[in-house]
Amino acid sequence: MYKDMVTLQTMDTIFYEAQRQGRISFYVTATGEEAINIASAAALTIDDLVFPQYREAGVLLWRGFTLQEFAHQCFGNKYDNGKGRQMPAHYGSNKHNYFTVASTVATQIPHAVGAAYSLKMDGRDACTITYFGDGGTSTGDFHAAMNFAAVMEVPVILLCRNNGWAISTPVSDQFRSDGVVVKGQAYGVRSIRVDGNDALAVFSAVHFARKMAISESQPVLIEALTYRAGHHSTSDDSSKYRPIEEIEWWKEAQNPVARFRKWLEGQGWWAPTSESELREYARHEVLQAIQVAEKVDKPDLAQLFTDVYDVPPSNLIDQEKSLRESVERHPHEYSH
Amino acid sequence: MAAMLQSFGVSSASVAFSDHSAKLSVRSLPVIRSEARSISCPTNGTRCTRKITTKAVAVENPASAASKPGHELLLFEALREGLEEEMERDPRVCVMGEDVGHYGGSYKVTKGLADKYGDLRVLDTPIAENSFTGMAIGAAMTGLRPIIEGMNMGFLLLAFNQISDNCGMLHYTSGGQFTIPTVIRGPGGVGRQLGAEHSQRLESYFQSIPGIQMVACSTPYNAKGLMKAAIRSENPVVLFEHVLLYNLKERIPDEEYVLSLEEAEMVRPGEHVTILTYSRMRYHVMQAAKTLVNKGFDPEVIDIRSLKPFDLYTIGNSVKKTHRVVIVEECMRTGGIGASLTAAINENFHDYLDAPIVCLSSQDVPTPYAGTLEEWTVVQPAQIVAAVEQLCQ
């Protein structure tokens, strides 16, 4: 678990820098939420279906998505299994039961409930989990999905990463309830609040939530309290709306990775030499992945028209033809 | 096109109108549909012909067809029959919506299904269209084949986000990894004094969404066939039903049949003018056609059925024959199906037109409640007759 937390941290740092260098156009970090990402994933099985928001790359990392695959997606090249259709950090992998990220907020919550309904119909020993932020709990989709999950008694874990901020909106401007955990109570959903920066606490909570969800076919709401130590995304500079000292404090003193490391060191399971080795290795792997992904070609023109439907209809075939003609006639007008 | 070896489908041509009640009795003639349509293959080399074949109720001797048994039912029963057959055939098919369970649906399309298949497969949802549409999308991505019912199509405006951004897009943005085989259906169109909010024509708003298909049924025969086709499709399909057509009666075949989602229906072949329409307006057009025939005109009436994508093959052949087009729709003038169809025909068949396309639509107003006002906002047979007369001068 710790190794993945460090890898996630490293990946975030380097990809973020890559965006700043202009090598990728956009990125979203999970800085400060490594414990939630990795520990929650570790408490699940690969058969549990994940419906992420966009700050849960660590869950996919835990499940086996390689650094190279992450890089391919961020560069939107032809090896991206999303075929270059989505923005960076909008990962998706059916192999890993990780449903493709959509930029829309909280739309994945009803998806998770529907998928849990599907699992219930099939009687499978699995649950669904969906992640969202404090901001996501204001949307209509959140409320209705919670209600549905309760009424339909489906095995879904609703994990709210209450990290204090929705871009520049602090939670005090987002809701006036006592956090998110009480909202679960209002819908008749078993809810728990947990310290999101404590990897072991998150692991325990998700582990038991999973048991409850599956054995009782009930939804469970977990509010994991944490802090968004990074900016909302590469399009944001959070120092504009919150004091730098606050960011620094959470980044250093409350860092979930550091906290877990201290505990591991206290148990005698981790040495400082291992730390530098790991970080060196992770850094090298990530840089390597970026260098490879950067050189790979982008998807070709045909990929613009495939997967809109199962089979392209006549209007798309026509449109592809006319586009090809246009590109052939004016090759200098197009950058590739 | 003498060189073409296609035979056009000839379907029910006689429509008896009983005044002001929604009950229409339709005497159906044998339906012959062409199987041998050539559809251009996509550049990636896969075959375009769908796995669902249009089962031709082809008969050697048209006379004997009239004595063919079949069974009579109303349009809403035809929808239910199609739905039930598919639920029987594939255990993954399920229904979600408000009051679809024991209540049987507000228009009784799902009546009896909850008793037969259980509460889980015919699911009553709380009132949150965006969210149960989202639920269906999640279920579809996980292997179920849900049918979402909007109690009235207009309520699905609340589900626009899920339909547009997720239903239409997730297959594409995931690189083909996740499919969303859902059917979204419900009654729409202008009813009898249901008020503006219950008289929406959602096909206008949804037509732009990439990744979805849209079809509109208009007879018990095509309602059942399209329902089955929509359920079997791997793509998200929106099936538009009309509030006033649920009690149409027709004799449909006993044996199983599935229609094509992309084909238009030739209602009445003719020579002078092509009248394109769909859903309820088909009946206004056929009533106008009777008057036109008495006046010596020979209109060709096509029920386009497939609203996205348009069946430009059938439509094009008709335009090439008659050179004149009238579109009759219930959508509002601005941004309706008629607007798109006009553009598509102009773009593709401009050389074959002898006159500009005439598009008869509702005005750009919310549908009022008062009976007289409501009547004025819907295209009436007299207007259709006048338009054709003027066009064919």
Side-chain angles (χ1 to χ4, degrees), chain B residues 243-262:
Chain B
V243 278
L244 294 182
L245 298 184
Y246 281 123
N247 288 328
L248 276 183
K249 193 192 285 196
E250 188 180 8
R251 182 169 288 277
I252 67 169
D254 285 331
E255 60 275 7
E256 196 185 21
Y257 67 95
V258 180
L259 295 177
S260 166
L261 291 173
E262 293 94 16

Side-chain angles (χ1 to χ4, degrees), chain A residues 14 20 22 64 67 72 88 90 97 101-102 115 161 169 208 210 215 250 265 269 277 280 288-289 336:
Chain A
I14 298 179
R20 285 292 183 252
L67 290 171
H72 285 322
H90 286 57
N97 280 331
V101 174
R161 297 175 290 95
T169 308
F208 283 108
R210 181 182 184 274
S215 61
W250 281 94
E265 285 170 351
W269 296 336
E277 250 175 47
E280 187 58 47
Q288 175 90 341
H336 299 289

Side-chain angles (χ1 to χ4, degrees), chain B residues 350-363:
Chain B
H350 179 258
D351 286 337
Y352 297 95
L353 291 170
D354 282 348
I357 298 172
V358 174
C359 182
L360 301 175
S361 354
S362 296
Q363 305 85 346

Side-chain angles (χ1 to χ4, degrees), chain A residues 49 51 81-83 85-86 90 92-95 97-102 104-108 110-122 124 140-145 147-148 151-152 302-315 317-318 320 324, chain B residues 40-44 46-48 50 91-92 94-96 119-128 130-139 141-144 161-162 165-166 168 170-178 209-213 233-236 308-310 348:
Chain A
L49 311 174
F51 289 84
N81 63 354
K83 300 183 192 165
R85 271 94 181 246
Q86 259 295 10
H90 286 57
S93 174
N94 56 356
K95 236 179 18 172
N97 280 331
Y98 188 94
F99 286 75
T100 305
V101 174
T104 46
V105 174
T107 51
Q108 73 280 6
H111 294 177
V113 175
Y117 161 77
S118 175
L119 292 178
K120 181 175 170 173
M121 289 250 280
D122 287 344
R124 295 211 280 171
D141 272 350
F142 166 76
H143 293 281
N147 194 33
F148 278 50
V151 167
M152 271 154 229
Q303 298 303 352
L304 182 59
F305 297 97
T306 53
D307 299 321
V308 182
Y309 297 97
D310 54 350
V311 172
S314 56
N315 62 325
I317 294 171
D318 285 340
E320 183 176 346
R324 279 191 195 276
Chain B
S40 54
C41 287
T43 51
N44 62 9
T46 55
R47 295 195 58 213
C48 211
R50 303 293 187 275
R92 299 171 299 167
C94 54
V95 183
M96 302 180 190
D119 287 334
L120 215 46
R121 268 183 93 184
V122 185
L123 194 62
D124 273 333
T125 63
I127 308 174
N130 203 32
S131 305
F132 64 69
T133 306
M135 247 190 79
I137 293 169
M141 290 199 285
T142 321
L144 289 186
N161 188 20
Q162 289 284 0
D165 283 355
N166 292 325
L170 275 169
H171 186 238
Y172 185 77
T173 57
S174 70
Q177 291 184 85
F178 301 102
I209 301 172
I212 61 167
Q213 277 188 268
S233 170
E234 292 303 315
N235 300 310
K308 184 183 171 90
F310 293 132
N348 288 288

Side-chain angles (χ1 to χ4, degrees), chain A residues 149-188:
Chain A
V151 167
M152 271 154 229
E153 295 176 10
V154 289
V156 56
I157 301 174
L158 304 122
L159 202 156
C160 176
R161 297 175 290 95
N162 185 344
N163 62 21
W165 296 92
I167 309 189
S168 69
T169 308
V171 285
S172 53
D173 285 345
Q174 193 66 250
F175 42 68
R176 287 299 160 86
S177 55
D178 174 15
V180 173
V181 70
V182 294
K183 301 191 194 196
Q185 279 184 296
Y187 289 106

